Amino acid sequence: MDLKLATEIAKCLSNPTRLQIMEWLKEPETHFPPHETLQHFNDGVCVTYIQEKAGLSQSTISTYLTNMEKCSLLVLTRHGKWSYFKRNEETLKEFSEFIL
Amino acid sequence: MDLKLATEIAKCLSNPTRLQIMEWLKEPETHFPPHETLQHFNDGVCVTYIQEKAGLSQSTISTYLTNMEKCSLLVLTRHGKWSYFKRNEETLKEFSEFIL
DNA sequence: CAAACATATCTATAATTCTCGATATATAAA
DNA sequence: TTTATATATCGAGAATTATAGATATGTTTG
């Protein structure tokens, strides 16, 4: 973890909606309805569910999630037409160690 | 630590200069010259030294430090005409626990 | 008390981020 | 193979942040 990446990560976390999403993704089953096809949250939550819960536009949330994935805060897994995002605990740990 | 405070803290950390200052303050003695009057860094580093090392204007750095202190990332101690800033490890730990 | 010094605050402009609607792309379903 | 669904990307205007110079405030020193 270098200064540049840590700054990008902090930028992602510096918006209440994005930080809230990170919190929700700690426990997807308590914050989101079950998916239509998948019977689990192993790969996280799909964009639509996150968008509906956040209450911002689809494009905004999609951009948020894409950026969070680019700095490896989130991991993206595609299943058919759905994109699932889950937390990358490893990155969070490295960021945490960087600032402490 | 609630969402609002955590967001403010992340905002402070989301700028490369501010994040760099937090890093420098981990080891003041290796990054800053000794102070004129104080023989230690127990209360951190004075604004001028941080400003000179960062290379931004006095007003900018002063504003940075004041804001970082407002969300308790830094602790301010005044000695005469100098303001010393040091890291607040407790807040960093709480922020860290919040995101993990 | 006046001058010098350290820091804080004010004001303003440039740069960046926020957020949306529109549109494009990709997959699935009919 | 058209249509519906899910997500991504583009373009733009509004809001916020970055940053500086000027100035104010508070402290020390002569």
Side-chain angles (χ1 to χ4, degrees):
Chain A
M1 178 79 41
D2 62 0
L3 187 79
K4 192 170 151 54
L5 177 57
T7 302
E8 290 309 309
I9 288 172
K11 241 178 243 181
C12 284
L13 301 177
S14 74
N15 169 293
T17 302
R18 288 192 299 261
L19 191 52
Q20 179 73 80
I21 290 170
M22 291 301 294
E23 295 300 304
W24 287 334
L25 290 180
K26 281 181 181 176
E27 293 187 322
E29 57 287 341
T30 73
H31 296 293
F32 300 98
H35 286 118
E36 290 179 23
T37 53
L38 293 178
Q39 300 307 311
H40 56 77
F41 288 103
N42 295 354
D43 293 321
V45 181
C46 71
V47 178
T48 303
Y49 284 1
I50 297 174
Q51 187 255 309
E52 285 171 352
K53 192 160 177 79
L56 295 181
S57 75
Q58 187 271 325
S59 69
T60 296
I61 296 299
S62 176
T63 302
Y64 280 3
L65 297 173
T66 300
N67 288 338
M68 291 158 91
E69 193 261 335
K70 272 181 187 149
C71 68
S72 73
L73 261 180
L74 296 178
V75 176
L76 163 62
T77 309
R78 277 186 234 273
H79 288 285
K81 60 181 171 181
W82 288 283
S83 292
Y84 296 86
F85 288 93
K86 69 177 169 192
R87 287 164 55 98
N88 187 337
E89 301 294 345
E90 192 53 42
T91 298
L92 284 159
K93 203 172 301 177
E94 286 172 22
F95 175 70
S96 190
E97 282 161 9
F98 182 84
I99 63 174
L100 287 179
Chain B
M1 177 82 37
D2 62 359
L3 188 78
K4 192 170 150 56
L5 178 57
T7 303
E8 290 309 310
I9 289 172
K11 239 178 243 181
C12 284
L13 301 177
S14 73
N15 169 291
T17 301
R18 288 191 299 260
L19 191 53
Q20 179 73 81
I21 290 170
M22 292 301 294
E23 295 300 304
W24 287 334
L25 290 180
K26 281 181 181 175
E27 293 187 322
E29 57 287 338
T30 73
H31 296 292
F32 300 98
H35 286 119
E36 290 178 22
T37 53
L38 292 178
Q39 299 307 311
H40 56 78
F41 287 104
N42 295 355
D43 293 322
V45 180
C46 72
V47 178
T48 302
Y49 284 1
I50 297 174
Q51 186 254 309
E52 285 170 352
K53 192 160 176 80
L56 295 181
S57 75
Q58 187 270 326
S59 69
T60 297
I61 296 299
S62 176
T63 303
Y64 280 3
L65 297 173
T66 299
N67 288 338
M68 291 159 90
E69 193 261 336
K70 272 180 188 152
C71 67
S72 75
L73 260 181
L74 296 179
V75 176
L76 163 63
T77 309
R78 277 186 235 272
H79 287 285
K81 59 182 170 182
W82 288 282
S83 292
Y84 295 86
F85 288 93
K86 69 176 169 193
R87 287 164 55 97
N88 188 336
E89 301 295 346
E90 192 52 43
T91 298
L92 284 159
K93 203 172 300 177
E94 285 172 22
F95 174 70
S96 192
E97 281 161 9
F98 183 83
I99 62 174
L100 288 179

